[in-house]
Structures are given as C-alpha cells and as structure tokens.
Amino acid sequence: MPLARDVVRGLAVEHGGCIRPVQLRRVDLETGQAEQVLVPCGHTLAAVCPTCAERAKTLRAAQCREGWHLDAEPTITPDAPSDTQRWWIELRAEAQQHRDQADAAGQDIGDLDELAAELDEEITSAGIRGKVLPARPARRHRSTRRRQDAPDLPRRTVEPRTIGKTFTAPDGKTFRPSMFITLTCDSYGKVAADGTPADPDAYDYQRAARDALHFAALFDRLVQNLRRFLGYDVQYFATVEPQRRLAPHVHVAMRGTLSRTALRQVLAATYHQVWWPPAHEAKHDDEHLPAWHEPSGNYLDPATGEVLPTWDDALDAIGPDDEPLHVARFGPKFDAQGVLACSKDSARCIGYLTKYLTKHVADCHQAQTDAQAAHAERLADALRYEPCSPTCANWLRYGVQPRNARQGMRPGRCTGKAHRREYLGYAGRRVLVSRKWSGKTLADHRADRKAWLLETLGITEPDPARYTWAPVPPGDPDHMPPAQRLLHVVADRQKWHAALTSARARASGELGPDLSATGRAA
Ligand SMILES: [Zn+2]
Ligand SMILES: [Zn+2]
C-alpha cells in the first residue's frame, strides 16, 4: 500500500506546490482579521524542493529569453527609495557624523565603525544597490592589478550601446543575430568518454584545481576583452556547470555576434594571472604547524619562533622577475553558433543554459563507477590544500599568514566553499548576468509573472500596506507541523488550478502562445 504522506508529497509536487512551505500570519489592519498563509520556500535545488527549483529555473529561462534578442537599449531607471530605505540611510548619516566627531576628538572609534558596518549591511538587505561611501583604498603599496599584462588584442573605444549589429538580407528583411558560446578549460591530460583520466598519475590535478578556483575571474577578463575588441558594451547571460571530467565550463548567451576567427583570437589573448605568494611546496605539514602568538596577533614559525610574513609582506616580496602563482586560460576547444530571435535554436539553447540549474555542481555528474569516484576523490585532494583566497587558512602551510589571520586557523580546514566537495573548486555564482541584459532584475521578472497571473484570474491585488506579516514559530497555537502544511498546499493548489482553468476557458483564444504555459506562473 502506498504511504499516505508520500502520496501527499507526490500530489503537492504534481500540482506545482512547494513541499517545504513557510507559514506566515497575515493580519488585515482594517478588519483585524488574522489569516494563515503558506509561502513557497523558494529553494533553487530540486533535491530540496522540486517545485520551487523548477519555478526558479523557469524564471531564469524567461530572463535569458528577454535579454537575448533585445532590439532596443534597455532603460534602467532605479526605483525611488522607499521610506524604510530612506530611514536606514538617515541612520547611517548620523552614525557617520558621530564617528567622525569622535575620531576628531581622539576617542576610540572601533564600536562606531562596527555600527556603521552593520548599518551598511542593513542598507544592502533593504534592497539598495552599492555603498554610501567609496571602498576604502587598500593599504597595499604595490598594485597587483598593474601586473596583469595587457592582452595582445586590437583595442577599440567601448561605445555605450549594448545592442549588436543589424544585418539586411537581399530581400530587405533585417535580422539581428546573437551568439550561443560554450567555453571549456584547458586539457589536464587525456580523458576517456566517462570523464576519467587515461593516466591518473599524469593528469594535472593541481592545474585543474587552480583553474576551477579562478574560473570566475577568468570569465570577467574575457568579458572585458570582448568589450574592448568589439567596441560596445557586450551583454551576456551565462551559466557555469561541470563537464564530465569535473572541470567547469560555461555556456554564454551573448547579445550581438562575432566570427569564430575573432572569438578564437580573443580567447587566445585572454588569461588571468594570479599574483599570490608561492604555494608550490608545503613548508609546514600538519604535524608542524605555525603556532598562534596571542600577544602580537601573529603566527610564528614552529621551528624558529620567528613571526611568519604577513599577507602584505608576502605580496611585497614578489619581485619583478617572479612568475605569477597561476595563469588561468580557457582551452582551445570552444563551440559558437549564431542564434536568431525566437527561433527553435534559441529555445533549445535556453534549455541548455538552464538545464542543470536545479542541481548542485557536484550532482550534475554523479560518480557511477569506481574510476569516476576515484577521479572526484583526487580532485578533492588537490583542492584541500590549495589556497582559495587571500584569507584561506591553507597559506599557513606555505609559510605565509593569511590576510586577517586569527587564532585557530588550520590548513586543510578552510571553510571556504571552494574546498567543499559539492563545489568542485568553483564557488562562484552559477548564473552570471550582466547588468544591462534585460534591464530587469530577477524580482522584476517575478513580478511580471505574478501580474500576468493576477490578470488572468481577474484578481486585483490588495493594497500591501493593508496587511502585516509575521512568521509563525513552533509553539505558537496556530503553528502547523509540516505534514499539515502540505495538506493545505495540496488543497490550495487544487482550488487554484480550477480557478485558472475556468479563467483560461473564459479567455480562450485571447492569450498568446507564451502565456498558455503550465500555469506555474506565480
Ligand atoms: Zn519550495
Ligand atoms: Zn580556503
């Protein structure tokens, strides 16, 4: 016999309901009436909530589609700040004044700086972009940026347009092709069809690990180079995912087009130099680790008792003749095709772009054989002691104090995401979207879908100022346990489906093909 709870869960998923809904209490300020509302969890991984993950993926596909073939420049006008946002900024202004006055009077300003930092965080979470003050100039004397060699490419002035060229066919029809590009990392050794190395001992795991760690920075370089080379503000929607050999690759939807020859030229000239201290040989193994010296706040060499060089010292010690720790490049293999707006190709490419978004990086290719498991294991080993950032605890292994060193740091135990098995060395965002892609944020795209839904159902949204919302914690008399919430979800979705079906019937023939989709809109 089927288990009752499994059936409920299955029905919730089948009806497009969230399986981990959050319970909120909504109070109508006019009538005083309280109501229990179940809000979708919004998780992006299918392993956690299949419905919310699928919905998030659909939203990304819509975002990709809208930006790809824009034929007019997107207008980006930020919303006027809300009262709450203004209030946070006013508080921040006061805090700054207190701090500066205290500083001028020679008082301790540690607490006031901390307060300002906390307010900055609140400002960000209130939905304001950017910071009130420019970033503090780094204390570093020597710029590492300067050391990035200039790419060997013709440079054009970047015009402030984001739309590619239009082409006119002999019959007078105009079209504006865009590109779908897939870029991979270099080869680290020959691999078989299952992604495992032909000769594991000859496979360069260290370079594989470092390329994965710096993949996001390399992609940034590529975009800069493309913009300079093409002479306009190229826009992209890109997704990063692992190949079968567990190296990252990136699918890019790009607005506008360039030839394969040009792309090959840009790729060949694109690299990212990592100017970090040397980390080729371990100076201190796990048995002889540098010791923390509390009074001075430094790590000491376990043998000599000398203070280890700080991060800044170690950077300064990199001489003009030294090599960078690592140079990340794309591999010579790439795939590039022109895509026309609203074509079958375009739909297929959007499918590729969003295919794996509901899965964790490491779950995209789960090990099926011992050889695959061993390959994943060796990559994880290579990543364990590889420094992931200037603050990584692994620097102690190479005789350097990490930036912001503190007590209790241990090589091999860095908490950076890049070392975790499920990230395969790539801790960056899975979806990389340029700012002027569709001219909308993900929240705007979500609001579009909601607006469509409300219109289809013939509902006008009540004034949001009329309600207050509060979480309902366990222990609250109205709190529903998960199983009970799930029953409500199933019932809600059934009602909802019926309403949508009858609304569709009423409007039959009036809706465009894009809007008659699965009813998964909210
Ligand atoms: Zn959910
Ligand atoms: Zn780390």
Side-chain angles (χ1 to χ4, degrees):
M1 287 190 290
L3 195 64
R5 290 224 191 139
D6 289 347
V7 178
V8 177
R9 201 188 123 109
L11 274 174
V13 173
E14 200 178 301
H15 286 306
C18 171
I19 58 165
R20 314 155 66 237
V22 179
Q23 187 183 354
L24 296 178
R25 179 183 290 115
R26 186 176 76 172
V27 178
D28 185 330
L29 294 174
E30 276 174 28
T31 63
Q33 205 177 19
E35 207 185 335
Q36 306 303 316
V37 180
L38 295 173
V39 182
C41 71
H43 212 284
T44 55
L45 292 181
V48 180
C49 178
T51 315
C52 289
E54 193 57 36
R55 204 172 285 166
K57 179 171 137 176
T58 312
L59 200 63
R60 285 297 195 180
Q63 183 186 31
C64 180
R65 190 168 45 235
E66 272 195 41
W68 206 354
H69 309 293
L70 277 194
D71 49 13
E73 289 293 339
T75 41
I76 298 174
T77 36
D79 295 340
S82 67
D83 285 352
T84 321
Q85 290 170 332
R86 295 162 62 101
W87 181 71
W88 282 115
I89 299 275
E90 282 165 11
L91 281 187
R92 178 67 180 78
E94 272 173 45
Q96 186 70 32
Q97 198 170 45
H98 280 168
R99 180 219 175 265
D100 292 347
Q101 283 165 354
D103 195 23
Q107 294 160 0
D108 178 28
I109 50 165
D111 285 354
L112 291 167
D113 272 339
E114 232 168 80
L115 173 68
E118 276 171 34
L119 286 170
D120 282 341
E121 272 173 37
E122 291 294 348
I123 288 170
T124 305
S125 56
I128 299 182
R129 201 155 49 83
K131 298 265 176 270
V132 289
L133 287 182
R136 251 193 250 164
R139 206 162 48 81
R140 295 208 29 75
H141 349 127
R142 196 187 307 149
S143 162
T144 45
R145 179 173 291 273
R146 184 162 59 79
R147 304 195 55 165
Q148 294 286 346
D149 296 337
D152 179 21
L153 278 178
R155 258 186 95 141
R156 297 182 176 89
T157 324
V158 181
E159 292 171 30
R161 68 184 162 89
T162 72
I163 305 284
K165 270 197 210 126
T166 309
F167 295 85
T168 310
D171 63 358
K173 223 167 134 185
T174 60
F175 52 98
R176 196 188 298 276
S178 288
M179 294 283 282
F180 178 66
I181 304 172
T182 300
L183 302 172
T184 57
C185 289
D186 208 347
S187 165
Y188 309 115
K190 209 167 177 269
V191 289
D194 68 348
T196 63
D199 177 1
D201 293 329
Y203 192 85
D204 194 342
Y205 283 99
Q206 186 182 59
R207 204 154 57 85
R210 289 181 179 172
D211 275 354
L213 287 168
H214 300 288
F215 194 73
L218 178 64
F219 182 75
D220 270 356
R221 291 248 127 213
L222 174 75
V223 171
Q224 284 174 26
N225 288 345
L226 273 175
R227 286 177 178 160
R228 283 179 194 153
F229 181 82
L230 293 173
Y232 73 96
D233 194 5
V234 174
Q235 300 296 306
Y236 58 87
F237 176 102
T239 54
V240 180
E241 60 191 48
Q243 290 176 285
R244 205 168 282 281
R245 61 176 176 147
L246 308 183
H249 72 164
V250 60
H251 293 307
V252 191
M254 170 188 144
R255 195 146 78 221
T257 169
L258 80 167
S259 72
R260 290 180 65 89
T261 318
L263 180 58
R264 191 169 292 119
Q265 195 186 347
V266 176
L267 283 176
T270 296
Y271 50 87
H272 172 70
Q273 293 171 310
V274 183
W275 287 104
W276 281 356
H280 300 293
E281 257 171 85
K283 288 195 180 149
H284 308 287
D285 62 26
D286 288 352
E287 313 298 308
H288 308 89
L289 286 176
W292 177 250
H293 182 245
E294 183 61 39
S296 72
N298 278 299
Y299 277 94
L300 310 182
D301 187 304
T304 65
E306 301 232 1
V307 173
L308 290 183
T310 64
W311 177 254
D312 280 351
D313 293 341
L315 284 191
D316 286 342
I318 301 174
D321 298 329
D322 287 329
E323 298 283 308
L325 172 68
H326 182 65
V327 181
R329 286 177 186 281
F330 289 107
K333 279 187 193 163
F334 66 87
D335 191 66
Q337 48 173 300
V339 177
L340 287 176
C342 304
S343 60
K344 240 190 222 160
D345 271 353
S346 133
R348 188 174 46 82
C349 292
I350 293 170
Y352 274 136
L353 277 154
T354 53
K355 184 172 173 194
Y356 288 113
L357 287 185
T358 61
K359 289 188 174 190
H360 226 306
V361 171
D363 292 340
C364 297
H365 302 290
Q366 268 175 340
Q368 311 283 347
T369 64
D370 288 352
Q372 286 173 334
H375 177 55
E377 190 67 33
R378 284 190 296 268
L379 180 64
D381 277 347
L383 283 161
R384 181 161 307 129
Y385 289 117
E386 201 53 61
C388 68
S389 67
T391 55
C392 184
N394 287 347
W395 284 113
L396 292 174
R397 186 174 167 86
Y398 305 103
V400 172
Q401 301 198 53
R403 184 192 280 167
N404 307 330
R406 54 182 198 285
Q407 191 171 14
M409 299 182 99
R410 225 188 129 84
R413 303 265 178 86
C414 169
T415 50
K417 275 204 281 186
H419 304 288
R420 300 222 301 259
R421 196 163 263 268
E422 64 268 35
Y423 287 90
L424 301 170
Y426 176 77
R429 280 171 297 140
R430 293 286 295 283
V431 184
L432 309 166
V433 193
S434 58
R435 214 168 66 77
K436 297 172 192 158
W437 176 251
S438 60
K440 292 179 187 176
T441 62
L442 210 50
D444 294 334
H445 287 287
R446 198 174 288 126
D448 284 353
R449 295 183 76 87
K450 191 172 171 190
W452 165 75
L453 188 73
L454 292 174
E455 200 187 309
T456 309
L457 292 174
I459 304 170
T460 35
E461 196 171 24
D463 177 9
R466 202 176 138 176
Y467 301 96
T468 60
W469 298 80
V472 183
D476 187 294
D478 290 328
H479 180 259
M480 295 189 245
Q484 189 184 355
R485 268 181 263 165
L486 217 47
L487 286 171
H488 279 262
V489 166
V490 171
D492 283 350
R493 295 298 299 186
Q494 272 172 313
K495 261 191 244 159
W496 199 88
H497 255 278
L500 196 63
T501 311
S502 64
R504 281 227 187 86
R506 279 199 307 275
S508 64
E510 289 170 28
L511 290 176
D514 198 37
L515 302 177
S516 58
T518 49
R520 264 209 205 101

